Amino acid sequence: MIPVAEFKQFTEQQPAFKVLKPWWDVLAEYLTIAMLMIGVFGCTLQVTQDKIICLPSHEPRENLSEAPCRQLLPRGVSEQMGGLRQLSGLKNNLDLQQYSFINQLCYETALHWYAKYFPYLVVIHTLIFMVCTSFWFKFPGTSSKIEHFISILGKCFDSPWTTRALSEVSGENHKGPAAGRAAAIVVTTAGTGTGKAGEGEKEKVLAEPEKVVTEPPAVTLLDKKEGEQAKALFEKVKKFRVHVEEGDILYTMYIRQTVLKVCKFLAILVYNLVYVEKISFLVACRVETSEVTGYASFCCNHTKAHLFSKLAFCYISFVCVYGITCLYTLYWLFHRPLKEYSFRSVREETGMNDIPDVKNDFAFMLHLIDQYDSLYSKRFAVFLSEVSESRLKQLNLNHEWTPEKLRQKLQRNAWGRLELALCMLPGLPDTVFELSEVEALRLEAICDITFPPGLSQLVHLQELSLLHSPARLPFSSQIFLRDRLKVIRVKCEELREVPLWVFGLRGLEELHLEGLFPPELARAATLESLRELKQLKALSLRSNAGKVPASVADVAGHLQRLSLHNDGARLLALNSLKKLVVLRELELVACGLERIPHAIFSLGALQELDLKDNHLRSIEEILSFQHCRKLVTLRLWHNQIAYIPEHVRKLRSLEQLDLSHNKLETLPTQLGLCLGLRLLDVAHNGLRSLPPEVGLLQNLQHLALSYNALEALPEELFFCRKLRTLLLGYNHLSHLSPHIAALRALSRLELKGNRLEALPEELGSCTGLKKAGLLVEDTLYEGLPAEVRERMEEE
């Protein structure tokens, strides 16, 4: 016996798969059930009742060639066939076993095979039809896709986000813009409060007669959990679409099983029509059993012939209807392009114009879904729309980043502005624009930003940073930012990704761009026109430019600070720098320079020059800096400079000189004639001694000599009475002169990493020096007199 539980899996799958069964498959399924019942009924009769009953014929042997059952025909027919004599009441002298033997023998030899096996053939053919119909639901290559699709389809159909998205579109199409804004207000209020508060707000809106919205839809309330579930559904739909659109195995399998059913139908129809007449009530049987029974000719009665003939005609009728449905299925398969599916009607109805058309197996399953209920594909299309997905992301963002949470991230940046920094978010929360106090907005690694009209609420916004965050700015927002924004920083992979609206901010004072030029454009270094930036004072460009961009000349009349960071790429053409007549600060960092560019000497207004991280070996051109009469800061650090020429003395106006991280071994005595120096940094070199003339630098306040090879300090150094910072760490000093007491303004002294055995007690005379400003080994510090240590540790 087969337990009923074995069929449980079929009953469970049926409700799930019904959405992929069009009406013809449903009709065919009922027809197969009817045909199966015919077969089962016939088989039951075959098993439970006698199959055939035979009686011996008493015809003489000379008439054996004639039919033994002719005398049993109706009277009129018998007379027409020769008037055979009628026999009745004859005794055959056969026992029961002989009758049974003859019945079985005649059933096997005389009865036509079609009459014998008709019910079994019906059952077998019906089972084949059933297998053909449901084979693609069982085949591993197709069933996994179908199950996955139905699972996603059901979740999409029942998702609250589907209802919300369609209701929003319906509201926009039927209620107009004013109603849409009112509904948005209701949604925002209800989404940020409790359930009771949301109901109160809805009642308030209903009570106001001037509102267009008469009944706010409850489906617009979507909690965080439902939003996360909808977000996961979007990801599943994307992956499923990529997986299913690659092939057409479902479409091919459905065609094959339909063609097989048509062929099976034709074969069944032909042979049934041919052999159905073989089912007869009387069967003549001749077998050589005279030695056993005394008779060789028998007349047999097929007891179920009449019923089987009726069942056969019913079966053939059902098969014809079944075949017609199969032929219609083939017509449907080849008459329409089922490997392509267009959502045009859904786009027109919902207004989601970005819903893409699909192809291959994905399209085929949607065509089948439409035969069941087109509402399924409409609701499923919501999860194919990028606009719908962006709306969901925005809703989840607004739930996660409340105004209170954003205010906790506010802090002052290096320029003193109140800054909100957001990093690696899936979008920009609308709640950001509720923080009207924000002065600087920093967005990093946020994809596809579109600033909403709510940007106009940030009335104090002056600085905007877009770091790997492409942003679109509507025209209304451009007008708002055009005169308000003062500083903008844009970082991207390539400079051509910089939004064009950046170059239209006419109130901009600082523009910082970071990105690479494409290899074919690096030499030309073409940048968008800067003519609109009438107030631009600072321009920073970090790229791989082969020359100074020509568009820099557009702001030559008012540009005061220019920074070019080339990441090691060689900057060749610098002649356009001569046009920057009011330039005060110039940075040429990592530009592959081997000499100081001559164009710099034409900048009469230049005050600060930074040539960090280049390939400078010689600075003989330093004499030409005397033409830059306003130059006060010169940074030549992180180069390969081996010596300083004597005519450095010409730079009398120089106040800061940074030559750290070079290859200097000596300093020229003429350096002492730069009487205006307040900062001198020669750390990380190979200096072994200092010239005594360093004592002439009476204005020196900061002297960095760390990481050199100094063994002693000249006594003249302590004539620099204004010195506040003296960095002597990591040298070879073995003694510190007591004359250090003359440096009463000293507040920071570094002595770590030397060969000192003790510190002079005269350090106590440096009244500005505290323990926090003295960087030295603990053992040396403990060797100072107790009163000196107590004074240094005083607040």
Side-chain angles (χ1 to χ4, degrees), residues 24 62 90 99 103 169 172 235 240 252 259 292 305 363 367 479 497 559 579 594 621 629-630:
W24 52 84
E62 59 272 12
L90 295 178
Y99 276 119
N103 289 343
V169 171
E172 291 174 1
E235 294 300 323
F240 179 75
T252 304
V259 171
V292 178
H367 280 294
I479 297 176
E497 299 175 9
L559 191 65
K579 301 178 182 180
E594 297 180 356
E621 304 88 348
R629 302 184 181 276
K630 296 182 179 181

Side-chain angles (χ1 to χ4, degrees), residues 105-129:
L105 189 61
C106 288
Y107 179 80
E108 295 296 335
T109 59
L111 193 64
H112 193 271
W113 62 267
Y114 183 81
K116 287 190 295 185
Y117 303 119
F118 166 72
Y120 304 106
L121 293 174
V122 172
V123 172
I124 293 173
H125 294 323
T126 304
L127 290 177
I128 293 175
F129 279 139

Side-chain angles (χ1 to χ4, degrees), residues 137-237:
F137 293 137
K138 307 294 183 181
F139 184 68
T142 56
S143 62
S144 59
K145 292 183 178 180
I146 294 174
E147 291 175 1
H148 195 185
F149 174 73
I150 292 176
S151 173
I152 295 176
L153 182 68
K155 293 177 181 178
C156 293
F157 190 87
D158 297 330
S159 174
W161 174 249
T162 310
T163 307
R164 169 171 179 150
L166 293 177
S167 64
E168 284 183 352
V169 171
S170 177
E172 291 174 1
N173 292 341
H174 297 90
K175 298 179 182 178
R181 290 193 295 271
I185 294 173
V186 175
V187 172
T188 305
T189 307
T192 56
T194 62
K196 293 183 179 179
E199 292 175 2
E201 292 296 331
K202 288 191 287 183
E203 292 174 0
K204 181 179 179 181
V205 173
L206 288 171
E208 296 179 4
E210 65 274 14
K211 295 293 184 179
V212 180
V213 179
T214 59
E215 184 178 355
V219 295
T220 54
L221 301 178
L222 195 69
D223 59 26
K224 183 177 180 180
K225 181 180 179 180
E226 292 170 338
E228 291 298 328
Q229 291 174 349
K231 180 180 178 182
L233 267 180
F234 271 105
E235 294 300 323
K236 288 183 179 179
V237 170

Side-chain angles (χ1 to χ4, degrees), residues 672-690:
L673 299 179
C674 298
L675 302 179
L677 273 182
R678 292 186 298 167
L679 181 148
L680 177 61
D681 190 344
V682 287
H684 293 272
N685 280 282
L687 298 177
R688 298 181 178 276
S689 62
L690 289 179

Side-chain angles (χ1 to χ4, degrees), residues 640-653:
Q640 302 174 22
I641 302 172
Y643 74 97
I644 302 174
E646 297 180 355
H647 39 260
V648 69
R649 64 181 185 275
K650 299 291 185 179
L651 307 181
R652 297 185 181 274
S653 62

